Amino acid sequence: MTDVLLEVKNLNTWFDSRAGRANVVDDVSFSIRRGETFALLGESGCGKSMTALSIMQLLPNQAANNMSGEVLLEGQDLLQLPEVAMRTVRGNRIAMIFQEPMTSLNPVLTVGVQIGEVLTKHKGLKGAASKARIIELLEAVGIPDPTQRIDEYPHQLSGGMKQRIMIAIALAGDPDLLIADEPTTALDVTIQAQVLDLLRKLQKETGMAVLMITHDLAVVSEMVDRVGVMYAGQIVEMASRDDFFNEPQHPYSQKLFDAIPSMGKRDEALAIIPGTVPDLAQEFHQCRFADRCQFSWDTCQQQVPRWISGNDSRGVRCHLYDSTIENKSRVAEKVELISTSSSNTGEELLTVSNLKVHFPIHKGLLKRVAGYVYAVDDVSLRVNRGQTLALVGESGCGKTTLGKGIIQLVKPTDGSVLFNGADLTQLSQNELRSRRKDFQIIFQDPYSSMNPRMMVGDIIEEGMIAQGIGDSAEARRVIVDELLQQVGLRPEHRNRYPHEFSGGQRQRICVARALAVNPKIIVCDEPTSALDVSVQAQILNLLKDLQKQYQLAFLFITHNISVVAYLADDVAVMYLGRIVERGSVQEVLENAKHPYTQALLSAVPTIDKESKQEILRLEGDPPSPINPPNGCHFHPRCPKAINECRSEYPKSRTISSTHEVSCHLY
Amino acid sequence: MLNYILSRFFSALIVIFGVSCLVFLLIHMVPGDPVELMLGESARPADREALRVALGLDQPVMTQLLHYLTNLVQFDLGESIHQRQPITQLLAERIPATVQLALVSLVVAILIAIPLGAIAAVKRGSHWDQLAMGFSLFGISIPNFWMGPLLILVFSLWLGWFPVSGKEGLSSIVLPALTLGTAMASILARMVRSTLLEVLGEDYIRTARAKGLSEVQVVWRHGLRNAMLPVITLIGLQLGTLLGGAVITETVFSWPGVGQLTIEAIKKRDYPVVQACVLLISLSYVVVNVFTDIVYAAIDPRIRLGDGE
């Protein structure tokens, strides 16, 4: 076919360091046809972003010219172009949007100026003509009030709006190819759904091709025509979307599918990929995945697998599919089953009643209180011993504040938290401190939640000393060693510093730290959202295992519905500081009543399109918790709102003995 | 924006009041008897008493403070003991020269520092960077009392391009402004370099490059403005110092500014004048800081459009 737009041939990109040369992009070849969407899929560090930056020649300084191979845009090799000529390609024929809309826009320039720059540079538009085109672009990406927004600054816009502006900047040059580097990873699911819809619509209108860089199988499933899977700098599998989802070939691709948590896998441990990605600063004489592969045999350790092309541009880099090599693969072990016959004792551990956390807003010279942020407003919930309650909702809905309010890391304004019979809100500082051993917290970001200047052993031991656990330093060390082994680390890791560990390992250390004081409940605040899916599987397995062993209760704060489906017993859905629906995990996920829950669930991209129930798209962003809308907080965005919704906040209605919903429809 | 400016002025007023009280107390914190210090031990008791009355030191402290503050509001700073002139008049003669020198030095500093720092940041690790930072180190290490005479030697005595000292005509400001400006530029250039380096690593710089903009546009439009905030803080602090009178440089070049007046007053133990000079130095810091805050807001919309908190 001659309609190939971009052809990447044997692209190599490397970084030089004292350890040697690391080929972060290693002999990568693929092509993108006009109007097509092609995805590079892989976990962090696999080289997918570096491939995109190499195409744009926007590599970080230390690797700016470390490229070889060919990047052919309609037959013209971009790598041979001088920088000045490359500038007429960037933003014009190939545009790019990035993962972090929060930091990708210049904070001191207005939205209009930032879009106008591209028009001036590539289209020669200035003044009124430019302004008219900017307004057109803002309309095209779904920004309300474009004539007003044009003079606003990025900090006045929400995250979803900023990503729309980024898309408008990219569209301004009428590009043939749009490179989207994790365009929705930093956004909430409802906003993600909006942005993905927008990209699809624009692609249909403009006929541009899209190179989508993502780690999310579900996004791939919903958006792309063909996909290339990257591992350790190489493409290990390439297939059309349908072929890939029907039958992933490379063992790594298969593992990626198996590692995704879901309702159906509740009774088994998630597949994990043992070990870590190999260091790229070496010469490979074996398959890069061999050490982690469940099928590998001696050939895999001795010979680099070649690229095996199948029909219809399908291909895979694996000895399993090489007819010239005798297949001596091991038989894959069956995933171990862990009985999670819910250890529900019915014994109440934590009861939160009418909890409120309001933050005053100070204004003016005299700092008088001008209003409140109703971060948590009248929330009641219950967690039983050994059970997991998942708290879901979009960012800013107050779920983290609720978690902190429960364990008294922020002082609640009103309400009570009964834990083991005592009201935590009434305890003095000293009483509270001695009770802290019963409730612990694990934070979202394992990179910043540990003191970088303390050794791992000291981090774990600190809580034990504070709570008087272990009679001597020697006794405590024994416990620390046990804990480290329990979370899958080695005792000698005790004397290392946090930066020496990977993200998943760090989160294990955080789990060990929480466990050290024998808690009864752990508040897990998005503990896996900063981690890759295969690493997430390890942490979820660990948590599930520990729960069974110690009758631990979890309050699991997350926005990831598939994690909820896999792990939770009960679910509470939060919107603007209030719980709008709660029930058992089956009730809420399979029989959602509240329109917000329904919308949230339908916004989650799924791997199999057929299972999708009715699609409910939310418009706009969640309102601010400073001035929540009158009546039901959700009514301005609710597709099913009736008159009552505008005037009165709905009372909680009972659907079943465990299922409650706050909605006028029921 | 208006709210923001008003709140900045309001806080400045409070600071000015505090500073005025402190300056007033200065004369009472001098160890021993100020009158004896001013007149020397050999002075006659009658003279001492006369001075004490003239300075109001015979009154209770609170009365003195009240008196001092009421006068201050009316821009009456008292009289110089030696020159028998109202201090406001003395200052009025000196302030224009100091402001002139300060502003010209500032312009010199900015003109040197921003290109120098920007080149060093953009060409990080290159010879340009080393050269720029070498110059900067040179400028920081050389004291003004050495730099001044060196410039006089080369440009006045050898080349005869500029007058040796004093304030006559435009050319007389060149050497003192160069002396002050290069010293300031050295520190500023380092600041420009480090903040610009930080900004050039930001995501929005990558976005700007992805638009196909040239490196000059990227650095100038997207980089420098974001890098300016810390630089402006430093400029403000330095300008505050300059407006209080560049004591050493003014002395070296016999520049008739506030700095020189301060030195003379200290030498002659003219306490009311010293007091007024200290007050002026403090005030210039406050005023410059208010001004810096306003410039911040002009540059950064997050400050301007916030509610002034």
Side-chain angles (χ1 to χ4, degrees):
Chain A
M1 282 231 252
T2 51
D3 61 350
V4 170
L5 175 70
L6 181 84
E7 190 171 11
V8 175
K9 278 190 194 166
N10 312 105
L11 180 68
N12 281 284
T13 303
W14 60 89
F15 283 82
D16 288 316
S17 71
R18 253 174 290 166
R21 173 167 293 188
N23 278 301
V24 290
V25 177
D26 196 341
D27 202 21
V28 164
S29 302
F30 61 90
S31 61
I32 302 176
R33 293 190 276 265
R34 278 186 185 285
E36 176 185 50
T37 304
F38 179 77
L40 282 178
L41 172 78
E43 298 187 288
S44 46
C46 70
K48 53 192 196 303
S49 288
M50 282 302 157
T51 306
L53 293 174
S54 302
I55 294 171
M56 289 289 268
Q57 294 178 38
L58 284 175
L59 290 167
N61 272 337
Q62 66 267 34
N65 297 309
N66 301 352
M67 280 182 284
S68 68
E70 290 173 89
V71 178
L72 302 169
L73 182 67
E74 291 184 317
Q76 185 183 33
D77 189 357
L78 298 184
L79 295 192
Q80 302 300 326
L81 284 183
E83 169 64 19
V84 179
M86 191 59 208
R87 281 187 207 134
T88 62
V89 174
R90 283 188 211 122
N92 188 24
R93 304 190 57 199
I94 307 180
M96 188 162 180
I97 57 177
F98 301 95
Q99 174 169 358
E100 276 291 344
M102 313 298 163
T103 54
S104 292
L105 290 171
N106 190 332
V108 303
L109 297 177
T110 63
V111 164
V113 169
Q114 298 192 52
I115 301 174
E117 261 180 347
V118 182
L119 295 172
T120 313
K121 167 93 195 172
H122 299 299
K123 301 283 161 194
L125 291 183
K126 278 186 184 147
S130 165
K131 189 170 177 190
R133 178 70 184 136
I134 294 170
I135 290 174
E136 250 175 60
L137 285 164
L138 289 174
E139 265 165 10
V141 297
I143 302 274
D145 283 330
T147 39
Q148 193 190 329
R149 295 286 181 181
I150 191 171
D151 293 322
E152 289 193 355
Y153 291 91
H155 75 275
Q156 295 168 290
L157 306 170
S158 68
M161 289 284 181
K162 282 186 203 147
Q163 197 59 300
R164 283 167 192 270
I165 301 291
M166 281 300 293
I167 296 173
I169 291 175
L171 282 182
D174 292 321
D176 297 320
L177 173 67
L178 174 70
I179 301 179
D181 188 356
E182 304 266 13
T184 57
T185 306
L187 305 173
D188 276 316
V189 279
T190 57
I191 309 299
Q192 162 168 301
Q194 291 173 5
V195 171
L196 292 181
D197 281 346
L198 173 68
L199 282 176
R200 262 192 297 255
K201 181 186 128 225
L202 292 171
Q203 196 178 7
K204 201 177 280 174
E205 288 169 8
T206 62
M208 65 184 174
V210 174
L211 169 59
M212 178 82 87
I213 311 285
T214 184
H215 70 281
D216 192 337
L217 275 170
V219 169
V220 171
S221 160
E222 294 219 330
M223 295 291 292
V224 313
D225 302 310
R226 287 188 309 125
V227 56
V229 181
M230 285 193 80
Y231 180 79
Q234 289 190 317
I235 293 190
V236 296
E237 177 166 4
M238 187 125 59
S240 72
R241 178 202 170 272
D242 292 343
D243 285 347
F244 183 66
F245 282 88
N246 287 337
E247 196 206 347
Q249 289 187 331
H250 197 281
Y252 174 67
S253 314
Q254 295 169 5
K255 280 288 192 185
L256 284 183
F257 278 93
D258 294 342
I260 299 176
S262 72
M263 190 80 97
K265 294 180 190 161
R266 280 178 72 87
D267 291 334
E268 53 193 70
L270 293 169
I272 56 161
I273 307 176
T276 52
V277 182
D279 182 8
L280 293 178
Q282 58 171 306
E283 189 122 8
F284 286 95
H285 300 291
Q286 75 276 29
C287 169
R288 293 167 190 217
F289 191 58
D291 286 340
R292 310 176 74 189
C293 180
Q294 54 179 343
F295 301 109
S296 70
W297 67 98
D298 46 0
T299 313
C300 302
Q301 294 288 359
Q302 290 152 6
Q303 198 177 329
V304 178
R306 55 188 192 99
W307 181 252
I308 319 282
S309 306
N311 33 2
D312 193 24
S313 79
R314 191 156 198 192
V316 63
R317 195 183 295 278
C318 177
H319 289 315
L320 277 176
Y321 302 90
D322 193 338
S323 50
T324 64
I325 287 174
E326 193 191 350
N327 183 344
K328 285 196 248 166
S329 67
R330 290 181 283 159
V331 185
E333 304 121 42
K334 189 79 197 103
V335 280
E336 67 177 294
L337 289 175
I338 39 173
S339 85
T340 45
S341 48
S342 171
S343 44
N344 191 354
T345 49
E347 196 185 329
E348 217 168 281
L349 181 67
L350 174 79
T351 310
V352 177
S353 312
N354 308 99
L355 194 74
K356 290 178 187 167
V357 182
H358 297 174
F359 298 111
I361 306 167
H362 298 283
K363 259 215 164 94
L365 292 173
L366 302 173
K367 307 278 175 227
R368 69 201 152 72
V369 177
Y372 289 92
V373 179
Y374 301 96
V376 175
D377 202 18
D378 210 7
V379 165
S380 304
L381 49 82
R382 210 178 97 164
V383 185
N384 288 347
R385 191 179 297 278
Q387 293 268 292
T388 302
L389 171 70
L391 195 60
V392 295
E394 294 170 278
S395 50
C397 74
K399 49 192 196 304
T400 294
T401 310
L402 174 56
K404 287 184 175 168
I406 288 173
I407 61 172
Q408 309 297 308
L409 285 181
V410 294
K411 194 89 194 125
T413 315
D414 196 17
S416 67
V417 179
L418 280 178
F419 181 84
N420 252 359
D423 187 350
L424 299 185
T425 60
Q426 303 301 321
L427 295 181
S428 71
Q429 280 302 324
N430 276 332
E431 288 170 311
L432 193 62
R433 199 170 300 135
S434 64
R435 282 187 155 261
R436 285 214 180 270
K437 66 173 185 292
D438 288 340
F439 39 93
Q440 286 294 306
I441 186 164
I442 302 171
F443 296 99
Q444 172 170 4
D445 188 353
Y447 293 90
S448 59
S449 56
M450 281 185 285
N451 186 337
R453 287 179 189 78
M454 277 172 81
M455 284 192 288
V456 165
D458 298 331
I459 290 173
I460 298 175
E461 201 183 340
E462 198 177 28
M464 293 161 59
I465 298 172
Q467 294 297 339
I469 294 171
D471 308 323
S472 62
E474 194 49 42
R476 282 195 297 270
R477 232 193 63 182
V478 173
I479 302 177
V480 169
D481 288 355
E482 280 170 14
L483 284 166
L484 282 170
Q485 280 172 315
Q486 203 159 23
V487 298
L489 298 170
R490 290 196 298 276
E492 60 266 29
H493 287 151
R494 191 183 342 106
N495 296 324
R496 298 219 194 143
Y497 289 92
H499 73 264
E500 298 175 60
F501 295 89
S502 69
Q505 288 175 319
R506 285 187 218 199
Q507 202 59 298
R508 287 158 186 272
I509 298 169
C510 291
V511 172
R513 180 192 55 73
L515 282 179
V517 293
N518 303 319
K520 297 190 173 64
I521 186 169
I522 299 182
V523 174
C524 306
D525 190 356
E526 305 261 18
T528 60
S529 63
L531 306 174
D532 277 319
V533 58
S534 66
V535 182
Q536 162 174 292
Q538 299 173 8
I539 298 292
L540 293 181
N541 285 345
L542 173 65
L543 290 176
K544 211 155 184 169
D545 211 32
L546 293 170
Q547 176 163 54
K548 198 168 147 250
Q549 210 175 336
Y550 295 108
Q551 284 277 298
L552 272 174
F554 291 130
L555 177 64
F556 205 92
I557 298 170
T558 184
H559 65 277
N560 188 331
I561 303 293
S562 59
V563 170
V564 173
Y566 175 71
L567 198 69
D569 298 297
D570 298 305
V571 182
V573 182
M574 210 169 167
Y575 186 77
L576 273 196
R578 300 193 181 192
I579 305 258
V580 295
E581 179 163 6
R582 83 179 132 196
S584 73
V585 66
Q586 281 86 7
E587 285 167 335
V588 174
L589 296 192
E590 285 165 8
N591 187 24
K593 292 294 181 196
H594 199 285
Y596 176 64
T597 317
Q598 293 169 352
L600 201 61
L601 294 177
S602 85
V604 179
T606 51
I607 288 177
D608 42 356
K609 273 184 173 159
E610 290 73 31
S611 78
K612 202 147 222 195
Q613 351 162 331
E614 76 180 298
I615 293 192
L616 211 55
R617 285 285 188 257
L618 290 186
E619 296 297 318
D621 298 300
S624 143
I626 298 171
N627 270 317
N630 286 331
C632 173
H633 292 348
F634 186 57
H635 86 259
R637 296 173 85 197
C638 181
K640 297 178 177 172
I642 50 177
N643 261 336
E644 277 169 279
C645 303
R646 292 177 236 294
S647 51
E648 197 184 335
Y649 195 86
K651 286 196 193 61
S652 168
R653 335 245 147 161
T654 312
I655 307 286
S656 76
S657 63
T658 48
H659 194 178
E660 281 174 38
V661 60
S662 296
C663 179
H664 286 302
L665 294 173
Y666 300 97
Chain B
M1 181 71 182
L2 190 68
N3 253 341
Y4 173 82
I5 295 178
L6 282 179
S7 81
R8 284 296 168 278
F9 268 114
F10 188 74
S11 14
L13 277 180
I14 297 174
V15 175
I16 289 174
F17 174 76
V19 166
S20 310
C21 294
L22 274 180
V23 170
F24 163 77
L25 287 176
L26 204 65
I27 201 162
H28 296 273
M29 287 188 291
V30 178
D33 184 358
V35 171
E36 192 179 301
L37 276 173
M38 278 182 245
L39 296 182
E41 280 175 32
S42 56
R44 286 178 305 163
D47 288 343
R48 288 188 191 185
E49 205 43 47
L51 183 59
R52 206 178 295 279
V53 173
L55 290 176
L57 289 175
D58 51 340
Q59 311 275 327
V61 176
M62 283 317 288
T63 321
Q64 285 181 48
L65 177 63
L66 200 69
H67 188 68
Y68 171 78
L69 288 177
T70 357
N71 283 343
L72 196 62
V73 175
Q74 297 161 22
F75 297 104
D76 178 3
L77 290 168
E79 230 176 43
S80 157
I81 298 169
H82 285 270
Q83 311 203 19
R84 299 277 165 206
Q85 257 181 331
I87 295 173
T88 26
Q89 199 184 326
L90 277 180
L91 284 178
E93 285 166 13
R94 302 298 190 106
I95 286 175
T98 288
V99 170
Q100 225 172 47
L101 181 59
L103 292 182
V104 175
S105 313
L106 186 71
V107 170
V108 169
I110 291 175
L111 285 181
I112 298 176
I114 290 184
L116 208 61
I119 288 171
V122 173
K123 308 259 175 208
R124 180 189 195 173
S126 69
H127 292 305
W128 285 103
D129 185 12
Q130 288 171 353
L131 201 70
M133 288 306 101
F135 167 82
S136 155
L137 188 67
F138 184 73
I140 292 172
S141 327
I142 291 181
N144 286 348
F145 62 76
W146 193 81
M147 181 76 174
L150 187 75
L151 288 177
I152 293 175
L153 187 70
V154 176
F155 292 101
S156 307
L157 298 180
W158 291 356
L159 296 171
W161 290 356
F162 305 107
V164 174
S165 66
K167 179 178 183 291
E168 273 165 50
L170 280 179
S171 61
S172 63
I173 203 171
V174 174
L175 293 185
L178 265 183
T179 308
L180 287 172
T182 45
M184 250 174 105
S186 308
I187 302 171
L188 272 185
R190 273 174 186 257
M191 187 67 130
V192 170
R193 177 181 181 270
S194 69
T195 55
L196 190 59
L197 271 180
E198 204 174 297
V199 166
L200 289 180
E202 296 281 346
D203 285 350
Y204 51 79
I205 295 296
R206 190 181 53 187
T207 307
R209 292 205 173 109
K211 287 173 176 175
L213 299 182
S214 70
E215 208 49 32
V216 174
Q217 285 171 310
V218 170
V219 173
W220 188 253
R221 194 168 339 158
H222 291 271
L224 268 180
R225 193 156 158 203
N226 278 293
M228 270 304 144
L229 282 191
V231 175
I232 283 169
T233 312
L234 189 62
I235 290 181
L237 285 175
Q238 291 185 321
L239 186 63
T241 320
L242 286 187
L243 284 179
V247 176
I248 290 169
T249 311
E250 284 186 5
T251 312
V252 169
F253 288 95
S254 310
W255 188 262
V258 179
Q260 216 190 24
L261 179 70
T262 314
I263 293 289
E264 283 164 12
I266 291 174
K267 275 195 217 147
K268 292 176 185 155
R269 301 205 171 124
D270 196 342
Y271 270 79
V273 176
V274 174
Q275 208 174 25
C277 289
V278 171
L279 185 66
L280 183 76
I281 290 169
S282 324
L283 285 187
S284 59
Y285 271 106
V286 176
V287 170
V288 167
N289 267 313
V290 172
F291 193 68
T292 334
D293 281 348
I294 293 171
V295 175
Y296 278 171
I299 284 187
D300 193 336
R302 285 166 296 187
I303 299 174
R304 179 177 358 137
L305 301 171
D307 48 3
E309 297 300 307

